[in-house]
Amino acid sequence: MPNRFCAICGKILVETDPHFGMCLECYLKEHPLFELPDQYSLNICIDCGSYSKKDDWVEPLENEIFSIIEQAVQQLLLKPYSKKNNIDFSISFNEESFVFSSKELLNSIEIAIQGVLKEKSNITHEQTIKLNLNHILCKNCSNLRGGTYFLSIVQLRVKDEKQFDLIIKIMEEINEYVERIFERDHRHYISKIEDQKYGVDLYLSTNELMNYLIKFLKTNYYFLLKRSKKLVGRDSQKGRNLYRLKSLIKFLPVSNNDVILIENQNYVVENITKNKVILRSENNTKLIKDYSYFFNEKIIKNNP
Ligand SMILES: [Zn+2]
Ligand SMILES: [Zn+2]
């Protein structure tokens, strides 16, 4: 076979060269495996470590600055290439390039990105990028710090002062529960708690949290639930109406085994179902009442 020569540098071609008219070096110069900008800026949230290019914040799997940077580079820069899954990437940090702010936050850093073609490991490419890091608060964390972000309201109410202990107990349980949910997903939290005459109002960051809370309370308590929805504006970006959702929760003022005076008769609360209270008198008369009865009527307890 006659010798072939590289069309660019004139070197004799060998069989392993990737292109019939070019040597490996020239081929790689002409067709780099990937092309990235020399400089790139990204935002990192001071509080939670989420990263973003613009407004779409992504929560990192691991909240440590170098692993955040690595995840951000993978997501924001390398994604178009890694989608094809034909290049093995590795990222290394040039420690001498680190520039810190006066608050000891990493402001800029040089990273080297190496790529190896999976099916042909002699085809590689390396590029150095200067990353500029803006340390700001993500949308969620700035709302959290401001404490003004809420979409839905849960109103917990009791009938009178005698039940205030119940509200205190329930609030402890709710706080614990919401903390657990927040750990799993930072979108869910109570942004404000307001004392009311017969209970508290909870301002919640999401509607989902409201539904979680109602479900959670249902496993342990009996209450009347009234949901309402009010149009408060419009999200022009997403082209949809914004509603404020309200759930009024009125805890039943009686519990099992309470003795209640109804029409001069003593009744024992025998059972409470999802929406009814079953009572039995001393002479064995059964009485079934809706929850609403206990809110509308004056209840006289004759507990032993
Ligand atoms: Zn060449
Ligand atoms: Zn954040």
Side-chain angles (χ1 to χ4, degrees):
M1 191 175 88
N3 281 342
R4 288 185 292 114
F5 301 94
C6 171
I8 291 169
C9 71
K11 212 168 83 178
I12 294 177
L13 296 180
V14 292
E15 224 155 82
T16 50
D17 283 331
H19 188 270
F20 68 90
M22 260 187 246
C23 72
L24 178 63
E25 287 79 46
C26 292
Y27 179 83
L28 293 181
K29 265 184 222 149
E30 294 284 314
H31 306 92
L33 271 185
F34 55 91
E35 273 174 296
L36 301 170
D38 296 330
Q39 289 219 22
Y40 193 77
S41 298
L42 65 105
N43 305 317
I44 296 180
C45 176
I46 306 165
D47 278 5
C48 71
S50 293
Y51 58 86
S52 79
K53 176 65 190 160
K54 283 188 182 148
D55 292 333
D56 290 328
W57 290 87
V58 184
E59 240 181 279
L61 301 169
E62 233 178 288
N63 191 351
E64 186 271 323
I65 186 70
F66 294 107
S67 95
I68 294 170
I69 292 172
E70 221 174 305
Q71 290 170 61
V73 168
Q74 293 279 5
Q75 277 295 319
L76 303 172
L77 283 168
L78 302 180
K79 195 92 178 259
Y81 298 102
S82 50
K83 256 193 206 154
K84 291 184 207 148
N85 198 26
N86 59 348
I87 304 171
D88 276 328
F89 283 108
S90 59
I91 299 168
S92 54
F93 303 99
N94 174 3
E95 281 185 42
E96 304 200 334
S97 71
F98 293 1
V99 177
F100 289 93
S101 72
S102 54
K103 286 177 190 157
E104 306 212 332
L105 294 167
L106 194 55
N107 269 357
S108 78
I109 176 177
E110 243 176 56
I111 59 167
I113 298 177
Q114 275 171 318
V116 178
L117 191 65
K118 279 186 181 167
E119 58 182 21
K120 231 174 183 189
S121 62
N122 61 343
I123 297 190
T124 61
H125 184 57
E126 177 170 333
Q127 208 183 327
T128 308
I129 297 178
K130 187 182 174 220
L131 285 181
N132 300 309
L133 310 176
N134 307 315
H135 299 275
I136 59 177
L137 281 172
C138 76
K139 231 188 287 170
N140 202 28
C141 289
S142 67
N143 285 332
L144 260 181
R145 281 202 191 180
T148 53
Y149 192 65
F150 52 82
L151 292 163
S152 41
I153 304 172
V154 168
Q155 304 180 297
L156 305 177
R157 293 292 185 275
V158 289
K159 201 179 173 194
D160 55 44
E161 294 84 354
K162 285 174 236 148
Q163 280 179 289
F164 280 173
D165 285 350
L166 180 69
I167 291 279
I168 293 168
K169 175 171 171 265
I170 289 169
M171 277 308 297
E172 276 171 15
E173 292 171 8
I174 285 179
N175 278 326
E176 236 173 76
Y177 174 73
V178 174
E179 256 169 51
R180 282 205 305 274
I181 291 196
F182 178 78
E183 279 304 306
R184 279 207 310 265
D185 187 338
H186 281 23
R187 289 178 306 125
H188 305 303
Y189 51 87
I190 298 172
S191 58
K192 191 164 73 165
I193 299 176
E194 243 175 27
D195 279 330
Q196 301 294 341
K197 189 163 178 214
Y198 289 113
V200 286
D201 285 355
L202 307 178
Y203 291 75
L204 309 178
S205 63
T206 63
N207 298 327
E208 283 145 280
L209 181 58
M210 182 163 77
N211 294 330
Y212 292 154
L213 265 184
I214 291 169
K215 224 178 182 179
F216 171 71
L217 290 172
K218 269 190 183 158
T219 58
N220 285 313
Y221 299 99
Y222 303 109
F223 49 83
L224 268 182
L225 172 64
K226 207 178 125 199
R227 291 177 185 260
S228 59
K229 180 167 147 182
K230 190 179 162 202
L231 184 66
V232 290
R234 194 169 162 82
D235 183 338
S236 51
Q237 259 184 345
K238 288 185 177 157
R240 59 177 188 193
N241 292 331
L242 286 178
Y243 289 94
R244 167 113 348 121
L245 302 179
K246 236 186 227 180
S247 293
L248 173 62
I249 292 178
K250 285 159 67 179
F251 293 99
L252 198 63
V254 296
S255 29
N256 278 316
N257 298 320
D258 273 353
V259 178
I260 296 159
L261 193 66
I262 300 173
E263 287 163 11
N264 296 320
Q265 269 265 32
N266 273 334
Y267 286 85
V268 180
V269 176
E270 196 177 69
N271 191 17
I272 302 174
T273 69
K274 252 193 234 163
N275 48 16
K276 305 258 190 245
V277 177
I278 294 145
L279 302 132
R280 197 171 290 276
S281 75
E282 283 152 333
N283 55 28
N284 220 11
T285 321
K286 199 168 154 185
L287 194 62
I288 299 176
K289 294 278 184 198
D290 286 334
Y291 280 13
S292 55
Y293 171 85
F294 299 91
F295 295 97
N296 300 334
E297 301 293 322
K298 196 170 152 60
I299 300 297
I300 301 163
K301 285 191 193 175
N302 257 340
N303 285 352

